[in-house]
């Protein structure tokens, strides 16, 4: 069986799955729209969560949050289920496919056979859509891939029951009820307000303050932990910023695209100017990545101390830009 | 980022077979999507991360050869795991897994426990006990 499902590649998996499932139901919602309404943009430094032996730094909201907020704000109801039994998880999936209902799944990346090797880390918050089954292979629409792909029954079971942080536990979801007409305007305003609140939060690890904290840490890491670890951490900042799914510049470009769309939707011309400003902020993040890569290119060789100072100052400049930006955005809406 | 500036640096690890989507601005200032084949700063960061893992694997191997650790630690590193991830896969506590790193404890492990580890690492119990490098 195969459901007639249109696959669109997206930058990020969570937005992509929501956008693809909505389009399947006849609602034309773009990826940036999902990201913006779900308040996806963020900066957060999480020292106690180690990813690949370095502290986690994220440029977006926690997995699942974008999705939940989007659904709530536009009034779409999703059915979601987690499973203890592998058998039940499979039966529920097959049952939905038989009903011609494509479903979203949360999966772990490590065992995804079609992913390139260097992306296969133990990261459990990836999302994809299953839209049918041929023989013993499930038909997969993975939003970060250019084309649709397949997984065997065994492979799918493995990725659905990956273990570790954010273990998916077979998590499966699909939309069940829709409002007659999507109320986007209110949802956009709510989404923007929350992003402004998060980015300007008075918490040292979150938003603008979080960027400043990390800038300071760049000054200290090489003293405290040695050059090699400092460069490893620096590489981590850039990897998280440019990781598959970010659309470049730590999600800043996707957000700029959202602001442009919101400008047309709300008829608020101020948002177009702000979209351009956000694009420039994205460019600053990329400039930072270029300079950082010159430092971590040599993993253990001692680089001049000035370089770390320079990177820290660049990040602080970005923090100031973002602070001004979100204050303006808050006023504009 | 302008559409023409979307990097096409051919991440040498993926060899251009895997194209990601980027958001960029076209000539008229409208946001569009554009494929990217990779970007050097990111490729360096990724390949460094992989070198780091390979070093950890090598270090674990030397530890096992010197009888300071058990093959479980080696295969954990090969599978890019850390103790807490491995513990959740085999359904044990972190301290239990760490204890199984001790060569003396490892030698006395029951077949059932070994099977659990072997299954997670996708190898046979023989491969686990007589670690082939």
């Amino acid at each position: 069986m195969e459901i007639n499902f249109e696959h669109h590649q997206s930058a990020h998996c969570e937005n992509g799955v929501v956008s693809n499932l909505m389009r399947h139901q006849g609602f034309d919602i773009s990826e940036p729209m999902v990201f913006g309404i779900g308040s996806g943009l963020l900066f957060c430094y999480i020292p106690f969560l180690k990813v690949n032996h370095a502290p986690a730094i994220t440029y977006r909201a926690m997995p699942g949050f974008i999705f939940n907020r989007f659904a709530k704000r536009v009034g779409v109801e999703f059915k979601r289920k987690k499973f203890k039994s592998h058998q039940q998880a499979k039966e529920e999936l097959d049952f939905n496919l038989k009903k011609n209902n494509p479903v979203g799944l949360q999966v772990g990346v490590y065992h995804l056979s079609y992913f390139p090797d260097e992306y296969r880390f133990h990261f459990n918050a990836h999302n994809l859509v299953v839209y049918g089954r041929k023989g013993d292979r499930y038909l997969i629409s993975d939003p970060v891939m250019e084309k649709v792909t397949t997984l065997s029954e065994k492979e799918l079971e493995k990725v659905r029951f990956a273990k570790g942080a954010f273990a998916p536990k077979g998590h499966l979801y699909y939309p069940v009820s829709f409002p007659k007409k999507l109320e986007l305007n209110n949802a956009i305003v709510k989404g923007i307000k929350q992003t402004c609140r998060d980015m300007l939060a008075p918490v040292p690890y979150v938003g603008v303050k979080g960027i400043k904290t990390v800038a300071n840490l760049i000054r200290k890491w090489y003293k405290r932990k040695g050059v090699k670890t400092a460069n490893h951490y620096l590489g981590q900042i850039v990897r998280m910023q440019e990781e598959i799914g970010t659309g470049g510049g730590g999600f800043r470009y996707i957000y700029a695209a959202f602001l442009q769309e919101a400008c047309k939707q709300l008829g608020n011309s101020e948002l177009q100017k702000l979209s351009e400003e956000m694009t420039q902020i994205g460019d600053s993040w990329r400039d930072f990545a270029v300079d950082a890569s010159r430092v971590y290119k040599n993993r253990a060789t001692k680089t001049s101390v000035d370089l770390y100072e320079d990177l820290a100052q660049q990040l602080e400049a970005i923090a100031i830009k973002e602070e001004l930006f979100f204050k303006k955005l808050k006023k504009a809406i | 980022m302008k559409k023409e500036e979307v990097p096409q640096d051919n991440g040498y690890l993926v060899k251009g077979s895997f194209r990601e989507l980027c958001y960029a601005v076209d000539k008229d200032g409208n946001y569009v999507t554009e494929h990217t084949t990779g970007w050097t700063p990111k490729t360096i960061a990724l390949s460094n991360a992989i070198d780091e893992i390979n070093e950890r694997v090598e270090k674990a191997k030397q530890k096992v050869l010197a009888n300071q650790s058990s093959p479980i630690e080696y295969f954990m590193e090969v599978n890019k795991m850390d103790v807490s991830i491995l513990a959740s896969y085999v359904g044990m506590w972190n301290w239990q897994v760490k204890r199984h790193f001790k060569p003396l404890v490892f030698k006395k492990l029951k077949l059932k426990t070994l099977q659990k580890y072997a299954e997670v690492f996708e190898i046979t119990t023989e491969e686990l006990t007589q670690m082939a490098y």
Side-chain angles (χ1 to χ4, degrees), chain A residues 63-244:
Chain A
F65 275 38
I66 302 178
F67 177 90
N68 283 341
R69 289 169 184 161
F70 172 82
K72 206 172 137 197
R73 284 173 189 162
V74 299
V76 179
E77 219 177 293
F78 276 86
K79 169 116 179 146
R80 34 172 74 243
K81 252 185 173 173
K82 285 190 178 183
F83 302 89
K84 273 197 181 138
S85 137
H86 295 204
Q87 186 59 28
Q88 265 178 18
K90 180 184 165 307
E91 278 165 14
E92 179 80 25
L93 173 66
D94 289 345
F95 176 71
N96 274 295
L97 293 177
K98 245 180 220 151
K99 281 197 313 189
N100 257 335
N101 190 17
V103 294
L105 293 181
Q106 185 195 339
V107 297
V109 173
Y110 185 70
H111 291 286
L112 275 184
S113 45
Y114 56 77
F115 252 44
D117 246 359
E118 66 267 31
Y119 286 129
R120 288 172 60 191
F121 289 100
H122 291 274
F123 170 70
N124 283 334
H126 186 59
N127 291 274
L128 49 79
V129 173
V130 184
Y131 68 98
R133 189 182 166 151
K134 259 188 194 152
D136 84 320
R137 295 197 75 84
Y138 284 96
L139 309 176
I140 309 285
S141 151
D142 187 322
V144 303
M145 303 295 287
E146 265 184 88
K147 295 199 179 80
V148 291
T149 167
T150 62
L151 282 175
S152 75
E153 198 179 313
K154 204 135 190 233
E155 286 168 331
L156 191 63
E157 183 180 322
K158 211 158 202 176
V159 293
R160 289 183 78 188
F161 287 93
K163 298 277 167 57
F166 305 118
K169 298 193 178 116
H171 192 175
L172 166 158
Y173 53 88
Y174 51 91
V176 279
S177 81
F178 305 90
K180 278 205 188 85
K181 195 177 170 292
L182 289 188
E183 248 313 320
L184 285 186
N185 292 12
N186 272 334
I188 291 172
V189 173
K190 269 190 193 162
I192 291 180
K193 274 189 178 158
Q194 171 155 25
T195 302
C196 293
R197 204 162 53 230
D198 288 349
M199 286 304 293
L200 299 171
V203 185
Y205 292 161
V206 181
V208 171
K209 290 238 157 104
I211 304 177
K212 288 181 185 163
T213 304
V214 172
N216 243 327
L217 283 169
I218 290 177
R219 292 194 178 100
K220 289 175 190 160
W221 275 334
Y222 73 94
K223 282 185 231 157
R224 283 189 196 162
K225 315 218 170 214
V227 172
K228 200 173 166 195
T229 311
N231 288 3
H232 177 53
Y233 286 6
L234 214 49
Q236 170 99 335
I237 298 179
V238 174
R239 259 181 54 219
M240 292 291 180
Q241 178 193 321
E242 297 297 329
E243 186 71 277
I244 181 166

Side-chain angles (χ1 to χ4, degrees), chain A residues 34-53:
Chain A
V34 176
F35 186 73
I37 291 178
S39 306
L41 196 80
L42 191 67
F43 182 92
C44 194
Y45 166 65
I46 319 170
F48 51 85
L49 181 67
K50 292 277 194 290
V51 178
N52 198 19
H53 309 282

